[in-house]
């Protein structure tokens, strides 16, 4: 009996990945989603950020492009995000909504994390009732921060709620807690609260994976080479500068009831084709 042979054509091309199914993406949240500090130009207050970058990825992969709005405003607590931004987002009739908030609440010692999660779940259910998909995010593991480490138990509890909410409502989760690169302070701005442009770029890649899409950079979570440890005196000076320029002003705003977002409006209040921020 003649042997059966199977031919493997050498000119076969890989099957392209499926295009995203979303045509209108709306992002709501706080400074993280507004994009601090992924500056559009050096020294500029106008920011790009992971959500803008995610929209650009979706637009590039979608025939006819996607429409995008970003209603996030720095300093916002979860309550205002859900009472002010969410209704405006739903009015735009999106088929994908990212809801990322709660970090500013968790920084406050008296926060009720369970109540915070319940409000988030109600919001997710409200979006899912419209047929739109939802992208959530866990909080970052701040184990490497001497000050923010104090919030670690609250962040971990909130994250557990996020995963449960996602399971119950079939939402997607951007898992910041599990990111390796994000533990490196080189990806954080000098205020130690917001990411650099490279940090936002990598988070956008993670968001693609969270949505079930192929990242454009498969090595997005690969850490940088380790640095030589700084001398204690150098680190002490850096900590003193950070305390004076960033930590104390933040505490003063909390004590006086002010926010970095006071008087600010969303940078992309209407859904439209990708392009420069309309504001």
């Amino acid at each position: 009996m003649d042997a059966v042979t199977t031919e493997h054509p050498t000119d076969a091309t890989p099957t392209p990945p499926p295009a995203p199914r979303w045509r209108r993406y709306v992002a709501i949240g706080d400074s993280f989603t507004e994009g601090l500090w992924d500056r559009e130009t050096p020294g500029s207050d106008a920011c790009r950020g992971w959500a803008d970058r995610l929209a650009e990825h979706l637009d590039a992969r979608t025939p006819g492009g996607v429409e995008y709005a970003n209603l996030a405003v720095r300093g916002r607590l979860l309550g205002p995000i859900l009472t002010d931004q969410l209704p405006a987002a739903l009015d735009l009739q999106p088929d994908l909504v990212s809801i990322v908030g709660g970090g500013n609440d968790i920084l406050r010692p008296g926060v009720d994390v369970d109540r915070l999660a319940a409000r988030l779940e109600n919001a997710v259910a409200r979006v899912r009732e419209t047929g739109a998909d939802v992208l959530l995010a866990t909080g970052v593991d701040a184990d490497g921060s001497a000050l923010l480490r104090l919030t670690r138990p609250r962040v971990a509890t909130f994250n557990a709620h996020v995963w449960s909410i996602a399971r119950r409502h079939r939402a997607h989760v951007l898992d910041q807690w599990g990111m390796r690169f994000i533990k490196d302070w080189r990806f954080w701005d000098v205020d130690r609260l917001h990411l650099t442009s490279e940090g936002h770029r990598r988070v956008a890649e993670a968001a693609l994976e969270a949505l079930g899409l192929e990242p454009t950079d498969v090595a997005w979570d690969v850490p940088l080479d380790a640095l030589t440890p700084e001398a204690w005196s150098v680190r002490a000076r850096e900590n003193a500068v950070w305390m004076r320029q960033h930590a104390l002003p933040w505490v003063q705003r909390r004590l006086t009831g002010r926010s970095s977002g006071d008087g600010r409006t969303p940078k992309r209040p209407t859904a439209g084709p990708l392009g420069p921020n309309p504001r």
Side-chain angles (χ1 to χ4, degrees), residues 17-22 25 32 49-62 66 96 98 134-137 172-176 179 181 199-220:
R21 62 181 180 273
W22 305 285
Y25 166 38
F32 175 55
W50 74 269
D52 288 23
R53 291 172 180 269
L54 173 60
E56 292 163 5
H57 285 304
L58 298 177
D59 184 67
R61 301 182 187 196
T62 304
V66 299
L96 174 62
S98 59
V134 175
L135 175 63
L136 302 172
H172 303 269
V173 178
L174 172 62
D175 182 21
Q176 294 189 98
M179 294 177 184
F181 86 87
H200 279 282
R201 184 194 70 80
R202 291 187 179 222
V203 169
E205 296 287 346
L208 287 172
E209 283 196 352
L211 292 171
L213 302 172
E214 290 290 330
T216 60
D217 175 13
V218 295
W220 64 265

Side-chain angles (χ1 to χ4, degrees), residues 147-226:
L147 182 60
L148 296 180
R149 186 189 297 127
L150 300 174
T151 68
R152 197 170 186 243
R154 296 197 293 271
V155 174
T157 301
F158 184 71
N159 289 350
H161 280 298
V162 167
W163 284 109
S164 296
I165 292 167
R167 175 183 56 81
R168 287 191 286 265
H169 299 278
R170 297 185 178 181
H172 303 269
V173 178
L174 172 62
D175 182 21
Q176 294 189 98
W177 181 277
M179 294 177 184
R180 294 176 298 167
F181 86 87
I182 213 166
K183 296 178 182 293
D184 188 327
W185 286 110
R186 286 172 286 181
F187 292 104
W188 292 85
D189 191 72
V190 293
D191 66 4
R192 303 184 186 179
L193 288 174
H194 301 98
L195 294 173
T196 61
S197 293
E198 176 61 12
H200 279 282
R201 184 194 70 80
R202 291 187 179 222
V203 169
E205 296 287 346
L208 287 172
E209 283 196 352
L211 292 171
L213 302 172
E214 290 290 330
T216 60
D217 175 13
V218 295
W220 64 265
D221 198 28
V222 175
L224 299 177
D225 292 338

Side-chain angles (χ1 to χ4, degrees), residues 78-80 82-83 114-124:
L78 185 62
L82 300 182
T83 58
D114 297 326
R115 183 180 180 187
L116 204 66
R119 297 193 67 175
L120 178 63
E121 181 160 18
N122 289 336
V124 172

